Amino acid sequence: MSADCPLSLFARVFLAPFCPAVKPLFRKLFKVKVHGLENLPEGGYIVASNHRSHLDPPVLNSAFPKHLTFIAKEELFKVPVLGALLPHMGAIPIKRGAGDIETLELSLELLHRGCRLCIFPEGTRANPGEFLKPKLGVGLLAIKSAKPVVPVYIEGTDYVLPRGKKLPSLSHPIRVYIGKPKRYDFLEDNPKGYRTASNLIMEEIKKLSFKS
């Protein structure tokens, strides 16, 4: 975990010290291969990734050298055990289907502090091999923060831990493709601009799927 983002006492004492050792072990166990680390910019940025499995967040955290802060649906924070751990893991809740001003303001603050904010533009898991229409959120954050957006394509998690399965299969490799960062603050700061930015970001993610 990174010192440039706020961490709870529990995270600083019990989680952060183990990250350097746990990440390579996780990548080895789940056969995670990462491509494009050289594309990562300095400072705060937005990570925008496709989403097909509950395994995607830990895979991304294992792939990136610095800790990621995830925007996660509010319902996950109500799950026993997981809900108690998520805040200490750097996740922040968002209410789906409605404008969440509090989450937006916190997200922008974290980005300006140098955090790396991860968001799944599709908003929920897509079916294997498919992409969903992106929500406005990622475009809104990209324009209002004026921070670079790093597109990411994850391949294989929908085979390792598909929808409806509780235990992962370790027989299928996972690939993480990291694209070059782009800025979108040249677009208008209004819903039309947010939609355009979200669509452009989703297209960058799709392009990475052709490299797999």
Side-chain angles (χ1 to χ4, degrees):
M1 292 187 178
S2 175
D4 52 14
C5 291
L7 297 174
S8 68
L9 178 62
F10 179 85
R12 292 197 303 270
V13 175
F14 295 103
L15 298 181
F18 297 101
C19 282
V22 171
K23 285 187 176 186
L25 289 177
F26 184 96
R27 291 195 299 270
K28 185 174 182 180
L29 178 65
F30 285 93
K31 301 180 178 66
V32 179
K33 297 294 183 184
V34 186
H35 308 270
L37 284 173
E38 68 278 3
N39 292 325
L40 296 180
E42 295 294 327
Y45 54 83
I46 298 169
V47 175
S49 172
N50 66 311
H51 190 26
R52 295 175 184 167
S53 169
H54 283 318
L55 197 60
D56 294 335
V59 164
L60 287 174
N61 246 336
S62 76
F64 278 66
K66 294 185 178 181
H67 177 67
L68 300 177
T69 297
F70 287 85
I71 296 180
K73 59 183 180 181
E74 188 181 39
E75 293 85 347
L76 291 177
F77 289 77
K78 300 176 183 178
V79 177
V81 183
L82 176 63
L85 287 174
L86 282 175
H88 301 295
M89 297 169 68
I92 54 178
I94 186 169
K95 298 175 183 177
R96 295 196 296 178
D100 193 335
I101 301 301
E102 185 177 348
T103 297
L104 168 62
E105 291 177 344
L106 176 57
S107 298
L108 292 173
E109 178 186 345
L110 292 173
L111 285 167
H112 289 302
R113 290 183 64 166
C115 297
R116 293 145 300 279
L117 190 71
C118 184
I119 185 171
F120 298 110
E122 296 158 293
T124 189
R125 290 170 294 164
N127 291 324
E130 295 182 2
F131 295 95
L132 300 176
K133 184 178 179 180
K135 307 294 184 182
L136 288 180
V138 67
L140 185 152
L141 285 174
I143 290 175
K144 285 190 172 295
S145 70
K147 295 292 183 179
V149 180
V150 178
V152 175
Y153 175 67
I154 307 174
E155 179 190 55
T157 52
D158 47 353
Y159 293 98
V160 177
L161 188 64
R163 188 190 299 269
K165 190 174 181 181
K166 294 184 178 180
L167 296 176
S169 169
L170 302 179
S171 60
H172 196 283
I174 296 172
R175 300 288 182 266
V176 178
Y177 297 89
I178 301 172
K180 294 182 178 180
K182 290 189 176 183
R183 294 179 183 269
Y184 298 89
D185 51 316
F186 61 89
L187 295 168
E188 293 183 35
D189 188 358
N190 58 36
K192 181 180 179 181
Y194 307 153
R195 170 60 61 197
T196 300
S198 293
N199 288 334
L200 289 173
I201 291 167
M202 201 67 215
E203 287 303 312
E204 291 298 316
I205 297 172
K206 290 179 181 179
K207 288 178 185 178
L208 293 173
S209 69
F210 297 124
K211 296 184 178 181
S212 61

